[in-house]
Amino acid sequence: MKMLINSPQSVVADALRGMAAAHPDLEVDVEQRVVVRRGAREGGRVGLVSGGGSGHEPLHAGFVGYGMLSAACPGEVFTSPVPDQMVRAARAVDSGRGVLFVVKNYTGDVLNFDMAAELAEEDGIRVERVLVNDDVAVTDSLYTAGRRGTGATLFVEKVAGAAAEAGASLEEVAEVARRVNASSRSFGVALSACSTPAKGSPTFDLPDGELELGVGIHGEPGRERRAMMPAREIAEFAVGAVLEDLAQVAPADGPVLALVNGMGATPLLELYGFHAEVARVLAERGVPVARTLVGNYVTSLDMAGCSVTLCRADEEVLRLWDAPVQTSALRWGR
Amino acid sequence: MKMLINSPQSVVADALRGMAAAHPDLEVDVEQRVVVRRGAREGGRVGLVSGGGSGHEPLHAGFVGYGMLSAACPGEVFTSPVPDQMVRAARAVDSGRGVLFVVKNYTGDVLNFDMAAELAEEDGIRVERVLVNDDVAVTDSLYTAGRRGTGATLFVEKVAGAAAEAGASLEEVAEVARRVNASSRSFGVALSACSTPAKGSPTFDLPDGELELGVGIHGEPGRERRAMMPAREIAEFAVGAVLEDLAQVAPADGPVLALVNGMGATPLLELYGFHAEVARVLAERGVPVARTLVGNYVTSLDMAGCSVTLCRADEEVLRLWDAPVQTSALRWGR
């Protein structure tokens, strides 16, 4: 497996050097692996810090900026960052109004963010935590107790970031973040495995002619393997799984935010074609779509495939979704 | 090769249905294959129409909107659109001030846009044309007489679109578009071939352990094949090739716009690491970088690899680059 890298050991540091060179509005500490929005502590806002293993770009560092994250802590590829990174980030962004940690539900991330919260609180920083666990495919999988955190992370970070930008309190930002997570469900599909720089070859074996339904963003096993299906059937399966679970979220007839997300190697041409089928299934099931995002946002290196995330959005969530955002990977309205 | 599609025959139509569902600010004619900015004819602006074979998304339809293209005409995968699409697009966007065709230099595109210009002029629409031919890798390759048009298309469409949005005349918009093209150079590298839906397997053979230096965006052969190189050496080769040719453009010491573009399947993590090396080489050669864009913008389906495009930007071009843009794939400042 050929890769556009210097060496497997330097992949994350090299990418951070590249972010620093490309985005003068970010303060990138390549050594300590913390990406901070320039001037994050000014303006008296609640801080929003996320992080996780690398390999899911643009998540999370691509979402640092006006109206979204205050800082991100990238770990090694598919490996949790360490508490020291998170504490540094919390210190760099806390204006005195506290910091919200956005944590995807993987065992390592949860442990490390919990430890970081304790350390930050010893420093006098108030910390709240939101756990993102939107993946309906499986519970208790590789890396996870309970549901995995995937595409809903983008919704949580965007909406909570807008609330923080508007001056909401730590409790208010945490509340809306938890509400968005509780109202979101995802389902992922892999057409191919991904290759990590360290391994240099596919991390799992997916035979020609088969797809993995319910795959995680590290290639964790899903619900089942089947013979390859056309896009329309994949959309029916994925949207069906999401809606079945989303039926538990009130109000059952509210509009949704829809994210049709590429895993990395699937061309945008295919993602839009897949979205046509997602939109068709949602229309057939009577689900109104308020806003749509199609593209590569929560990826899994060079995996081919996609995921669907839906969030039942009340009026406040819609308003916060529409609020201006200015990051390297998501920007509008400003 | 597994793909997220319904059938090879419906790929382009399915993607257009998806664009229509995702982007209510676009008028998408799925049947006739024309994507038009809603209200394009209002406001008395010069129209900007581009198009080309599909498979390079987000180019071109992802660049339709405020401050950039008025309309795009997608052909079949890697196949020129037909004159009828271009004439329909010209009619849909002409406010009476004329239309600029942005044409990438491939034999089919050039012939078809020329024919469309004649037909549109018979309809009383004034048409100018800009030919994009920025790829320094080869001249007279497969599909092309002269240099191929690649990454500079984004620069031309953004800058000319800003000029049109600001009320410039057809002659002025065409002039700045030609200036941007004349000031831009690109070089592409493939780590893997791409697979078209029709063929269903890689379109060329690139052995394990080799890379293609100077590849085109359809996988056309480049300058040479070599044993796989680390990112720093690839950046030195690509930036070196671009700068050697760019030395012909005055002023030789002006700042550049830089696009580090993914071919489709290369993870963003790798693209940022590669950009770190591009930025290093440019700094070593004393080339000031005014603005940077890193991501998948002018792709080649699921090809792994990247390209570098540099444009020597005068003050007017920089101002137009910074002007607000609001399309599905490029947005800022509004």
Side-chain angles (χ1 to χ4, degrees):
Chain A
M1 192 66 209
K2 286 167 278 185
M3 294 179 183
L4 188 63
I5 62 177
N6 287 321
S7 80
Q9 291 72 39
S10 68
V11 165
V12 175
D14 288 347
L16 288 175
R17 286 195 297 124
M19 286 212 90
H23 305 300
D25 51 334
L26 298 178
E27 285 173 16
V28 181
D29 186 332
V30 176
E31 196 72 28
Q32 303 296 337
R33 302 200 174 179
V34 182
V35 178
V36 179
R37 169 183 171 186
R38 205 169 281 284
R41 219 159 30 185
E42 296 154 23
R45 289 177 302 267
V46 166
L48 212 64
V49 172
S50 193
S54 292
H56 307 300
E57 290 67 27
L59 183 84
H60 297 272
F63 300 146
V64 174
Y66 178 92
M68 211 160 167
L69 292 180
S70 316
C73 310
E76 278 300 310
V77 170
F78 293 174
T79 304
S80 173
V82 295
D84 187 50
Q85 291 170 268
M86 302 154 187
V87 175
R88 281 176 194 273
R91 283 195 202 118
V93 308
D94 183 40
S95 69
R97 298 193 64 202
V99 174
L100 178 68
F101 284 168
V102 180
V103 187
K104 300 198 298 305
N105 188 32
Y106 300 96
T107 310
D109 296 69
V110 171
L111 283 172
N112 287 323
F113 269 107
D114 277 354
M115 197 177 301
E118 281 180 35
L119 293 168
E121 279 163 358
E122 285 173 16
D123 273 11
I125 301 173
R126 287 198 305 140
V127 176
E128 288 274 349
R129 190 192 74 167
V130 55
L131 196 67
V132 182
N133 60 348
D134 54 309
D135 186 348
V136 303
V138 292
T139 50
D140 300 340
S141 76
L142 198 63
Y143 306 122
T144 336
R147 289 179 160 182
R148 301 177 294 218
T150 60
T153 317
L154 183 150
F155 290 157
V156 170
E157 294 178 355
K158 169 66 184 82
V159 170
E165 197 67 58
S169 69
L170 178 58
E171 291 68 28
E172 290 165 338
V173 175
E175 189 280 324
V176 78
R178 290 184 188 121
R179 186 145 47 94
V180 168
N181 176 63
S183 309
S184 297
R185 299 290 187 278
S186 294
F187 193 89
V189 175
L191 273 56
S192 79
C194 56
S195 298
T196 60
K199 188 160 188 287
S201 61
T203 53
F204 63 102
D205 187 48
L206 188 54
D208 241 26
E210 290 186 22
L211 83 171
E212 176 91 35
L213 293 163
V215 76
I217 55 174
H218 311 88
E220 308 95 308
R223 283 194 189 175
E224 56 177 304
R225 287 193 176 181
R226 288 205 186 171
M228 187 57 198
M229 293 150 62
R232 73 174 72 83
E233 290 175 25
I234 298 174
E236 280 156 15
F237 195 101
V239 175
V242 167
L243 287 181
E244 190 182 338
D245 213 281
L246 201 64
Q248 301 161 10
V249 180
D253 56 352
V256 297
L257 307 175
L259 168 63
V260 169
N261 173 62
M263 289 295 192
T266 289
L268 197 55
L269 183 71
E270 296 181 27
L271 290 180
Y272 271 107
F274 181 69
H275 174 60
E277 301 300 335
V278 169
R280 173 186 59 79
V281 176
L282 289 171
E284 286 171 5
R285 308 263 184 121
V287 180
V289 180
R291 305 288 184 274
T292 302
L293 206 56
V294 178
N296 293 296
Y297 293 102
V298 182
T299 63
S300 186
L301 292 170
D302 63 340
M303 186 187 285
C306 63
S307 62
V308 178
T309 303
L310 300 179
C311 171
R312 286 246 182 248
D314 58 33
E315 273 182 35
E316 186 194 11
V317 169
L318 271 185
R319 188 174 49 74
L320 292 168
W321 177 258
D322 287 340
V325 60
Q326 192 166 11
T327 69
S328 67
L330 207 66
R331 24 177 112 202
W332 57 68
R334 188 170 175 245
Chain B
M1 193 67 209
K2 287 168 279 187
M3 294 179 184
L4 188 64
I5 63 175
N6 286 321
S7 79
Q9 292 72 40
S10 68
V11 164
V12 175
D14 288 347
L16 289 175
R17 287 193 299 122
M19 287 213 89
H23 305 299
D25 50 334
L26 298 177
E27 285 174 17
V28 181
D29 187 331
V30 176
E31 196 72 28
Q32 304 296 337
R33 303 201 173 179
V34 182
V35 178
V36 180
R37 169 183 171 186
R38 207 170 281 282
R41 219 164 24 188
E42 297 152 26
R45 290 178 301 268
V46 166
L48 212 66
V49 172
S50 191
S54 292
H56 308 300
E57 290 67 26
L59 182 85
H60 296 272
F63 300 144
V64 175
Y66 179 93
M68 211 161 166
L69 291 180
S70 316
C73 310
E76 277 301 309
V77 170
F78 294 173
T79 304
S80 172
V82 294
D84 187 51
Q85 291 169 266
M86 302 154 187
V87 175
R88 280 176 194 272
R91 283 195 201 116
V93 308
D94 182 40
S95 68
R97 298 193 63 202
V99 174
L100 177 68
F101 284 167
V102 181
V103 186
K104 299 197 300 305
N105 189 31
Y106 300 97
T107 311
D109 296 69
V110 172
L111 284 173
N112 286 321
F113 269 106
D114 278 353
M115 196 177 302
E118 281 181 35
L119 293 168
E121 280 164 356
E122 284 173 16
D123 273 12
I125 301 173
R126 286 199 303 141
V127 176
E128 288 275 348
R129 190 192 74 165
V130 55
L131 197 66
V132 183
N133 60 348
D134 54 309
D135 186 348
V136 303
V138 293
T139 49
D140 300 338
S141 77
L142 198 62
Y143 306 122
T144 334
R147 290 178 159 184
R148 302 177 294 217
T150 62
T153 317
L154 183 150
F155 290 157
V156 170
E157 294 179 356
K158 169 66 184 82
V159 170
E165 197 68 59
S169 70
L170 179 58
E171 290 67 28
E172 289 164 339
V173 175
E175 189 279 325
V176 78
R178 289 183 190 122
R179 186 145 47 94
V180 169
N181 176 63
S183 309
S184 298
R185 299 290 188 276
S186 295
F187 193 89
V189 175
L191 274 57
S192 80
C194 55
S195 297
T196 60
K199 187 158 188 289
S201 60
T203 52
F204 64 101
D205 187 48
L206 188 54
D208 241 26
E210 290 187 20
L211 83 171
E212 177 90 37
L213 292 162
V215 75
I217 55 173
H218 311 88
E220 307 95 308
R223 282 193 190 175
E224 55 177 305
R225 287 193 175 181
R226 288 205 186 171
M228 187 59 197
M229 293 150 64
R232 75 175 71 83
E233 289 175 25
I234 298 174
E236 280 156 15
F237 195 101
V239 175
V242 168
L243 286 181
E244 189 182 339
D245 212 281
L246 201 63
Q248 300 162 10
V249 179
D253 56 353
V256 296
L257 306 175
L259 168 63
V260 169
N261 173 62
M263 290 293 192
T266 289
L268 197 55
L269 183 71
E270 296 180 26
L271 290 180
Y272 271 108
F274 181 69
H275 173 60
E277 301 300 336
V278 169
R280 173 185 61 78
V281 176
L282 289 172
E284 286 170 5
R285 309 263 183 119
V287 179
V289 180
R291 303 289 184 276
T292 302
L293 206 56
V294 179
N296 293 295
Y297 293 102
V298 182
T299 64
S300 185
L301 292 170
D302 62 340
M303 187 188 285
C306 63
S307 62
V308 177
T309 304
L310 300 179
C311 172
R312 286 246 183 248
D314 57 34
E315 273 181 37
E316 185 194 13
V317 169
L318 270 186
R319 188 173 50 72
L320 293 168
W321 177 257
D322 287 341
V325 60
Q326 191 165 11
T327 69
S328 67
L330 208 67
R331 25 175 112 203
W332 57 67
R334 187 170 175 240

